[in-house]
């Protein structure tokens, strides 16, 4: 049974669940349907949540399973990502950074679905490799190799090299100074 | 060190890539939840109320 605290925690994960769903479905409307279905499933199967475990990973797993199950049932709706990332572009203040982000989005969109997903889960969602493996249902070694391939492909597409490179964007410089 | 530096051989380009992915993801989170989620949140909390009522009835 879910405690009131569990339910509040579930609510606190909704923004992350929606963000993950958008990255999977590449559509806000479909993502919100997927979140709704996942939450209803979670509420109707509370016994499957083990207290003390990672609720976000549990919810991501339910959402992902539901999405892929639905996608198998229906003809896959393939389409451009309807500018799902563009909102963030609008608030990027730095011209140099803005151009780099636009290039990055294009390269990111070209990644295979499974590579883009794993970057979202680990690189942005903060899941460990182990939890990302649970969510996606693949061995941890596959998670690592997908991450490495995704990063290598992005680095190649964007001309990022680990040797000397000219970076003028102060945000990027700040990131690099922490590595 | 990045919070996701879980492998050996983490490179500077990896840090830039992760930072950009986080920017995209955080942008989606910062959009907030659309109105239709209010009903969902009410539903989640309503289940608490139902359980409380059931517990009271059982007692």
């Amino acid at each position: 049974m879910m405690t009131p605290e569990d339910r509040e925690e579930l609510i606190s994960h909704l923004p992350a669940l929606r963000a993950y769903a958008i990255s999977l479905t590449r559509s806000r409307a479909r993502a919100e349907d997927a979140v709704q279905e996942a939450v209803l499933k979670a509420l109707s199967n509370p016994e499957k949540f083990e207290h003390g475990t990672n609720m976000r990973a549990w919810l991501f797993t339910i959402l992902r399973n539901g999405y892929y199950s639905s996608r198998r049932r229906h003809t896959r709706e393939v389409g451009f990502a309807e500018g799902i990332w563009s909102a963030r572009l609008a608030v990027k203040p730095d011209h140099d950074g803005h151009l780099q982000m636009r290039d990055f989005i294009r390269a990111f969109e070209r990644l295979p679905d499974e590579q883009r997903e794993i970057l979202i889960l680990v690189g942005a969602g903060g899941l460990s490799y182990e939890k990302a493996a649970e969510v996606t249902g693949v061995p941890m070694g596959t998670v690592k190799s997908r991450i490495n391939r995704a990063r290598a492909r992005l680095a190649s597409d964007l001309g990022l090299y680990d040797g000397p490179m000219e970076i003028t964007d102060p945000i990027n410089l700040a990131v690099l100074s922490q590595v | 060190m990045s919070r996701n530096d879980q492998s050996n051989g983490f490179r500077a380009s990896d840090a830039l890539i992760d930072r950009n992915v986080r920017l995209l993801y955080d942008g989606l989170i910062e959009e907030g939840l659309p109105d239709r989620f209010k009903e969902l949140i009410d539903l989640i909390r309503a289940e608490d109320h139902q359980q409380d009522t059931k517990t009271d009835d059982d007692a």
Side-chain angles (χ1 to χ4, degrees):
Chain A
M1 188 179 99
M2 275 196 172
T3 64
E5 291 74 25
D6 290 337
R7 290 171 193 282
E8 287 305 316
E9 185 184 348
L10 193 160
I11 291 168
S12 76
H13 289 307
L14 289 178
L17 203 56
R18 175 177 173 272
Y20 174 51
I22 290 173
S23 74
L24 272 183
T25 64
R26 304 165 95 184
S27 152
R28 281 173 173 72
R30 288 203 298 273
E32 286 157 13
D33 288 343
V35 170
Q36 182 128 2
E37 284 172 25
V39 168
L40 293 177
K41 273 185 198 162
L43 289 175
S44 58
N45 295 283
E47 71 284 356
K48 292 187 179 168
F49 174 63
E50 295 174 28
H51 286 272
T53 61
N54 187 323
M55 183 185 282
R56 179 175 293 197
W58 180 60
L59 293 169
F60 278 15
T61 306
I62 294 172
L63 185 136
R64 186 181 190 280
N65 289 345
Y67 167 66
Y68 279 108
S69 165
S70 156
R71 209 175 72 160
R72 274 193 294 271
R73 282 198 305 271
H74 302 99
T75 304
R76 185 180 174 192
E77 297 170 60
V78 179
F80 191 66
E82 42 174 91
I84 58 167
W85 312 108
S86 59
R88 189 67 190 183
L89 264 183
V91 298
K92 282 285 291 163
D94 185 88
H95 180 69
D96 190 4
H98 184 102
L99 290 177
Q100 289 181 13
M101 184 56 94
R102 191 183 296 279
D103 291 342
F104 181 81
I105 289 171
R106 287 190 182 132
F108 190 61
E109 281 294 327
R110 285 196 297 268
L111 287 178
D113 288 352
E114 68 275 10
Q115 291 181 17
R116 194 172 48 249
E117 178 189 26
I118 215 73
L119 272 185
I120 286 283
L121 288 173
V122 176
L127 292 190
S128 64
Y129 286 156
E130 186 182 8
K131 287 295 169 195
E134 280 178 29
V135 169
T136 53
V138 298
M140 206 158 70
T142 304
V143 168
K144 288 181 185 175
S145 93
R146 282 180 184 172
I147 288 245
N148 289 337
R149 286 205 303 271
R151 286 174 175 156
R153 181 163 168 174
L154 286 172
S156 167
D157 284 1
L158 296 167
L160 296 174
Y161 302 102
D162 288 311
M165 54 184 173
E166 187 179 349
I167 292 177
T168 55
D169 175 9
I171 301 173
N172 283 342
L173 285 169
V175 171
L176 283 177
S177 69
Q178 294 168 11
V179 176
Chain B
M1 180 186 287
S2 162
R3 63 183 169 152
N4 287 308
D5 181 6
Q6 300 181 67
S7 64
N8 296 326
F10 193 76
R11 297 161 298 189
S13 59
D14 295 342
L16 285 177
I17 288 165
D18 283 1
R19 169 240 166 193
N20 280 352
V21 175
R22 271 199 299 278
L23 275 175
L24 296 178
Y25 182 82
D26 289 349
L28 294 177
I29 295 216
E30 286 167 17
E31 286 177 6
L33 296 173
D35 284 346
R36 63 183 287 195
F37 277 69
K38 286 178 186 163
E39 285 180 25
L40 187 62
I41 290 170
D42 287 345
L43 177 74
I44 295 168
R45 291 194 170 128
E47 295 244 339
D48 272 342
H49 178 70
Q50 283 174 1
Q51 282 182 3
D52 288 347
T53 308
K54 198 183 288 182
T55 306
D56 290 346
D57 290 347
D58 291 346

